[in-house]
């Protein structure tokens, strides 16, 4: 086709479309909307970690004239149905019914037990205090080992007969042989704690119900419209549902899963009261009950040759999944996404144990199990280096997949599309002058100043394949979906401007800016005349099952569907214009929204003129061409085979594109206080073809800052009774800008061989290796004290203790 | 996160504020900058039925020189104190402390009188007030009285102010010729002090400690003077070893609090390290 160049604006930091609006406080979030007669809802939540609900008395609340609806466990049972068990719970021996709210028991502090809709928020909060719940308090299981301990532990789900709710194994290659033939076996126990991404905007929802048409409209800040849509259909048996998603104040996975509980209950309040109902979650509620990343315990062993080659990896993983089974295996199966990280190892075995506890349920969170998998690899590689007295970077070079092996199929069936891992690592070491840095470290140690260098590498998977979970659930009879599908619609307006409708909402990926850049090159217009329609509205937007804005999907599915829809629109534009201009469509050119016949300067047609024809003037349309200039395209990843659906060997493409990053952390540890200061943080990253460097850098800064903060202290702390002690951002230890080091980024892209622009993911990559980088650097700094870093987080007190323990 | 209902009064004068307070002794809270009270009300940990908003009383908003003293109105904000030329030149410890309270918004809105009267155990300013031997003016229906800083903080969230009294002024002696520093450990830059140490000292040309006062906040339910450390150093040459061994005395007889931020053992250790470091930081100024 003539002069369509999808890459015309790719790689340029074009003017941000949503940035000025969001940065100046002009974003329109769920809480910014009101509806006539709207009520305000608050949730009644469990003060106990584990208790049976004997009864709820809401009479006092219901008798007030300013209270319009109350939902109790009785209402929940009568008026709603349990959610369908999702793909993460497919391995349960017996199905467990999970309603939107607690019905018989509460299993974590903050679990919703009921809700009130009142005239205003203050009234609703007053009324909450008048509702009495009769609880039979049960012993709390707040620790995985305690919860697993057998008969003495009280059962969180009686129907499961044990708190170890699931157990399964993934095995690829011949690990027994690898360990039998190893020169040495290196072992370590590791742990990652509970944390969250703490988006600045907590969960939010406005539900309204038209009792005549039975149409339910919810305005909510979910990342995944389909989850809300399905949950409302399942729980409330409704068919006509509209999901509107305004601006979202951060997602990171926090707004994918548990949000459905609240939307269902708020919708029920709207149905019962006959009024629109708004609910805005508090920070404390968000910390207690909106979902945490999983606490993961790992027993790791590596089969190693004396030259540093790792020939096998085995690990046992115990996951504290909290008081729900709906995300039972998510952190374990996500290990499939980067199971072999950047390494050539062919033999891997993972034994997973999912334990329910009386803590907040776990949810998808920036990389889900992937930071844990990278932590396993990068910590054990450091141990191998120590064991063999090699430099840790040498052991990595020894084991990296080589660029000439690309595309490279991993033992579990992932296909790495492109990449130069040794190149990334080499460049990162050059940039920090690694030998010089080591000399400086040695000199400073003499003076009592403890510098540490952490060098790690990790892949960043992108794309989505729900069939992945069949690898651990061979009993699953049909796939829970497979691959990823996402739609986009493009409309050439009558005035010649372009409107995009995306199948996914924007939660920080700069949809509006980035999609316009890509569509502009194809359509031959300036990105300035393209607007992405917000808010997302399921009544008009195409569906997108991959539209999760999770799993790093935007680059693949949204961009793919935009390219498809724009290409089809261009074809139609050329056909209509060719007919009017009496030229072959293939001879035409488009620039700045004007179609021209090269060599004939007067034969031209603007997009506005075309719009007039397409929507107004049947006589000018070519025969056989429908009126209108609007196209919809549903994208699927064309290279999803082989291994889209796991066979008997369990091999599966867990994700489809693979970026990578080499990270170097330079820290200084104050051995007296345990305080760690990050002096330098460098990432040399491969994010494939970069569409907008400002946007990608923003993604990297944010995810690196989060991973570093996770390693250095942010996290949830429970007491023995299952009370959460960290319900504010202060107590949780959220790092502020002042604590966040400058993140240096150098791009070394290897364009993907499988995607239209060569693009790869960028949203969660830096959060995957960064906890390991910090752990490595702190351990390296404290080498003279003999400190080994196994567990995160490395709060100053923890580091101080590690030094004391090592010296004892 | 919405406070319960309350009656709101914005008195036009100190006199009116005092009579409102006397009329509502059991159920009133005084609102100044609101940086401590409002979060508690939003969490419904505080549910006052009456709010007396003294934020508009300009008569309590001043910083002025009074001979060898500096008088600070209770409604001066942390920012006012941190940026006052007078305080920076004659009593810099107050400014050094005020400038690390909370974040910019808290410092712009929060008042020194409000913060001191709230008596949060992790508040920074009590350490400086104690180290400076400040006096606090309580004004009640029967007139004024002066309370030495050492008698002001009774226990967590409790001061020696009577229910019908307002804290109206803080009076600190000028410390010409002294060196000072406030250093704190907090998880975030804007965080409360896990341990905060204020030091004000005077040393001779030979490095002999002529006078020193040290106060510690965040450690126990009220800030305290580290008298044993002071005694050990007064008249001594301020050498590293002497400072370190004196600093170790800070935890003698002290039972540090435990919370999610630190165990008692770590708090005690931090207090020793930070007393030492704050003395060194003061000397380096």
């Amino acid at each position: 086709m003539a002069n369509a160049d999808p890459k015309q604006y790719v790689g340029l930091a074009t003017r941000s479309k949503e940035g000025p609006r969001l940065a100046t406080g002009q974003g329109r979030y769920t809480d910014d909307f009101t509806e006539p007669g709207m009520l305000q809802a608050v949730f009644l939540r469990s003060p106990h970690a584990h208790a049976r609900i004997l009864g709820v008395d809401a009479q006092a609340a219901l008798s007030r004239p300013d209270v319009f609806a109350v939902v109790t466990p009785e209402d929940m049972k009568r008026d709603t149905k349990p959610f369908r068990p999702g793909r993460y719970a497919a391995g349960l021996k017996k199905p467990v019914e999970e309603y939107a709210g607690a019905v018989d028991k509460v299993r974590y502090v903050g679990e919703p037990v009921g809700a009130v809709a009142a005239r205003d928020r203050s009234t609703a909060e007053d009324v909450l205090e008048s509702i009495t719940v009769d609880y039979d308090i049960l012993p709390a299981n707040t620790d995985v080992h305690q919860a697993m301990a057998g008969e003495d532990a009280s059962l969180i789900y009686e129907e499961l007969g044990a708190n170890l709710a699931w157990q399964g194994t993934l095995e690829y290659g011949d690990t027994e042989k690898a360990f039998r033939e190893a020169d040495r076996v290196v072992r370590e126990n590791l742990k990652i704690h509970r944390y969250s991404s703490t988006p600045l905007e907590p969960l939010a929802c406005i539900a309204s119900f038209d009792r005549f048409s039975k149409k339910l409209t919810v305005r909510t800040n979910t990342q995944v419209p389909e989850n809300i849509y399905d949950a409302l259909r399942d729980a409330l048996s409704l068919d006509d549902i509209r999901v509107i998603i305004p601006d979202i104040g951060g997602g990171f996975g926090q707004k994918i899963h548990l949000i459905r509980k609240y939307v269902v209950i708020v919708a029920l309040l709207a149905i019962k009261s006959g009024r629109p109902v708004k609910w805005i979650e508090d920070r404390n509620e968000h910390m207690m009950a909106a979902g945490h990343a999983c606490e993961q315990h790992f027993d790791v062993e590596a089969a190693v040759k004396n030259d540093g080659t790792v020939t096998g990896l085995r690990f046992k993983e115990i996951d504290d999944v909290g008081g729900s089974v709906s995300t039972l295996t998510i952190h374990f199966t996500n290990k499939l996404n980067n199971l072999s990280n950047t390494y050539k190892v062919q033999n891997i075995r993972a034994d997973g144990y999912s334990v329910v506890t009386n803590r907040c349920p776990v949810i998808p969170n920036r990389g889900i199990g992937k930071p844990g998998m990278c932590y396993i690899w990068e910590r054990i590689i450091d141990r191998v280096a120590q064991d063999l007295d090699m430099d840790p970077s040498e052991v990595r070079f020894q084991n990296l997949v080589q660029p000439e092996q690309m595309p490279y199929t991993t033992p579990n069936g992932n296909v790495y599309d492109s990449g130069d891992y040794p190149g990334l690592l080499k460049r990162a070491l050059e940039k920090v002058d690694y030998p010089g840095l080591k000399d400086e470290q040695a000199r400073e140690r003499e003076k009592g100043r403890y510098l540490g260098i952490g060098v790690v590498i990790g892949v960043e998977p992108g794309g989505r394949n729900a069939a992945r979970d069949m690898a651990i659930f061979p009993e699953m009879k049909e796939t829970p979906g497979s691959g990823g599908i996402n739609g986009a619609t493009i409309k050439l307006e009558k005035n010649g401007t372009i409107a995009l409708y995306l199948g996914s909402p924007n939660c920080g990926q700069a949809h509006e800016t980035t999609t316009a850049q890509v569509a502009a090159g194809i359509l031959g217009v300036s990105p300035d005349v393209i607007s992405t329609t917000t808010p997302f509205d399921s009544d008009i937007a195409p569906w997108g099952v991959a539209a999760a804005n999770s799993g790093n999907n935007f680059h693949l599915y949204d961009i793919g569907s935009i390219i498809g829809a724009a290409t089809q629109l261009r074809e139609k534009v050329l056909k209509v214009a060719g007919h009017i201009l009496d030229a072959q469509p293939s001879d035409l050119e488009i620039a700045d929204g004007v179609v021209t016949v090269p060599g004939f300067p007067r034969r031209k047609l603007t997009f506005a003129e075309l719009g007039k024809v397409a929507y107004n003037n049947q006589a000018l349309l070519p025969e056989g061409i429908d009126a209108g200039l609007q196209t919809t395209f549903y994208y699927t990843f064309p290279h999803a085979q082989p291994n889209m659906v796991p066979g008997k060997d369990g091999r599966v493409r867990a994700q489809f594109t693979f970026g990578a990053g080499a990270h170097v952390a330079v820290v200084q540890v104050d051995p007296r206080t345990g305080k760690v200061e990050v002096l330098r943080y460098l990432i040399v990253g491969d994010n494939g073809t970069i569409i907008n460097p400002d946007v990608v850098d923003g993604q990297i800064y944010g995810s690196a800052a989060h991973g570093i903060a996770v390693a250095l202290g942010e996290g949830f702390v429970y007491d023995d009774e299952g009370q959460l002690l960290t319900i504010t951002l202060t107590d949780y230890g959220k790092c502020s800008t002042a604590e966040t080091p400058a993140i240096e980024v150098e791009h070394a892209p290897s364009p993907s061989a499988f995607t239209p622009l060569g693009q790869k993911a960028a949203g969660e990559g830096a959060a995957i290796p960064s906890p390991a980088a910090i752990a490595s650097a702190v351990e390296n700094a404290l080498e003279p004290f003999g400190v080994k870093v196994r567990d995160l987080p490395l709060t100053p007190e923890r580091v101080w203790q590690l030094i004391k323990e090592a010296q004892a | 996160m919405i406070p319960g209902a309350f009656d709101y009064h914005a008195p036009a004068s100190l006199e009116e504020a005092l009579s409102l307070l006397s009329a509502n002794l059991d159920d009133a809270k005084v609102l100044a900058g609101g940086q401590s009270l409002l979060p508690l009300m939003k969490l419904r940990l505080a549910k006052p039925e009456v709010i007396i908003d003294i934020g508009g009383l300009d008569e309590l908003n001043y910083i002025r020189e009074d001979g060898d003293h500096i008088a600070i109105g209770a409604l001066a904000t942390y920012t006012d104190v941190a940026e006052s030329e007078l305080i920076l030149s004659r009593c810099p410890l107050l400014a050094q402390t005020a400038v690390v309270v909370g974040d910019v918004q808290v410092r712009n809105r929060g008042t020194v009188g409000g913060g001191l009267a709230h008596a949060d155990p992790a508040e920074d300013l009590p350490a400086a007030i104690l180290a400076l031997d400040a006096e606090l003016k309580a004004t009640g229906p029967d007139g004024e009285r002066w309370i030495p800083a050492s008698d002001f903080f009774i226990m967590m969230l409790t001061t020696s102010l009577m229910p019908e009294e307002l804290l109206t002024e803080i009076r600190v002696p000028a410390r010409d010729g002294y060196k000072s520093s406030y250093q704190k450990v907090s998880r975030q830059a804007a965080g409360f002090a896990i341990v905060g140490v204020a030091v004000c000292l005077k040393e001779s040309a030979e490095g002999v400690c002529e006078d020193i006062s040290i106060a510690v906040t965040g450690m126990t339910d009220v800030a305290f003077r580290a008298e044993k450390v002071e005694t050990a150093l007064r008249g001594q040459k301020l050498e590293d070893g002497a400072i370190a061994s004196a600093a170790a005395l800070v935890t003698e007889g002290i039972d540090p609090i435990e919370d999610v931020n630190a165990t008692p053992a770590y708090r005690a250790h931090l207090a020793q390290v930070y007393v030492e470091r704050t003395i060194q930081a003061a000397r380096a100024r």
Side-chain angles (χ1 to χ4, degrees), chain A residues 121-122 125-126 129 282 284 670 672-673 713 717 725-726 729-734 738-739 796-797 800, chain B residues 1-5 42-44 47 186-189 260-263 265-266 269-270 273-274 276-277:
Chain A
R121 177 70 183 251
S122 182
E125 291 190 21
D126 288 344
E129 294 165 16
D282 286 346
N284 299 352
D670 177 347
R672 290 190 74 191
T673 63
V717 180
L725 304 177
T726 48
L729 290 176
T730 306
D731 287 340
Y732 173 77
K734 193 76 201 166
E739 286 77 47
E797 177 161 5
W800 174 70
Chain B
M1 291 287 261
I2 304 290
K42 287 183 177 181
L43 292 169
R44 297 196 166 210
K47 285 192 240 174
S186 61
R187 293 179 74 183
Q188 301 101 332
V260 71
N261 294 312
T263 60
Y266 185 55
H269 171 75
L270 283 179
V273 173
Y274 269 75
E276 184 184 330
R277 287 185 177 175

Side-chain angles (χ1 to χ4, degrees), chain A residues 435-706:
Chain A
L437 201 54
K438 292 213 301 191
D439 288 346
E440 186 190 348
Q441 177 185 43
R443 282 197 308 273
E444 293 299 314
R445 258 181 205 171
E446 302 280 312
K447 299 183 216 160
R449 181 167 171 251
Y450 296 92
L451 298 180
I453 312 160
V455 181
V456 304
I457 187 164
V459 290
E460 172 171 17
R464 176 188 199 265
N465 182 14
R468 177 200 65 192
D469 298 73
M470 294 179 82
I472 58 164
F473 298 136
E475 61 273 53
M476 226 189 250
K477 297 214 166 42
E478 56 186 75
T479 64
S482 60
I485 299 166
N486 186 52
T489 294
I490 305 191
K491 181 163 68 161
L492 192 155
E493 303 282 14
K494 283 174 73 173
N495 66 355
T497 61
I498 308 288
L500 300 187
Y501 301 85
L502 301 180
S504 73
N506 181 2
C507 60
Q509 298 84 350
H511 282 39
E512 295 166 45
T513 305
T514 313
T515 55
Q517 271 179 269
V518 174
I522 297 170
L523 293 171
V525 294
S526 157
D528 292 342
V529 303
I530 300 182
S531 66
T532 297
T533 302
T534 57
F536 171 91
D537 185 340
S538 68
D539 270 7
I540 51 172
W543 276 114
V545 173
N549 282 328
S550 70
N552 276 350
N553 287 332
F554 174 75
H555 75 289
L556 194 56
Y557 302 104
D558 287 276
I559 296 299
S561 56
I562 289 295
I563 291 174
T567 303
Q568 288 182 356
L569 181 62
R570 181 188 173 94
E571 283 168 16
K572 190 163 180 187
V573 161
L574 292 174
K575 275 184 196 159
V576 175
H579 179 72
I580 297 168
L581 296 171
D582 193 19
Q584 285 299 319
S586 55
D587 291 341
L588 299 176
E589 284 183 1
I590 311 178
D592 293 327
V594 183
V595 188
T596 54
V597 187
F600 300 89
R602 290 187 175 185
R603 287 168 68 191
K604 62 180 184 183
L605 207 54
T606 66
F607 274 19
E609 287 164 335
L610 262 171
K612 270 190 204 159
V613 172
Y615 299 108
N616 270 334
N617 208 338
Q618 186 182 356
L620 291 184
L621 285 172
E623 226 171 281
I625 294 285
D626 297 335
L629 286 168
Q630 178 169 330
T631 55
T632 295
F633 183 83
Y634 280 88
Y635 177 82
T636 55
F637 180 58
H639 305 274
Q641 295 288 13
N643 304 333
M644 180 155 48
V645 177
K648 279 196 179 127
D649 58 4
R651 285 158 64 87
V652 64
R653 304 275 287 280
Q655 289 190 277
F656 295 127
T657 62
F658 292 84
H663 291 215
V664 181
V666 183
V667 303
Q668 176 178 336
V669 183
D670 177 347
R672 290 190 74 191
T673 63
K675 177 93 180 152
V676 177
E677 190 186 347
V678 181
L679 302 177
R680 190 163 182 194
Y681 202 94
L682 168 74
I683 299 170
V684 177
D686 166 17
N687 297 96
T689 303
I690 289 167
I691 297 172
N692 187 312
D694 283 354
V695 171
V696 169
D697 285 350
Q699 299 280 319
I700 294 171
Y701 297 148
S703 61
H706 188 212

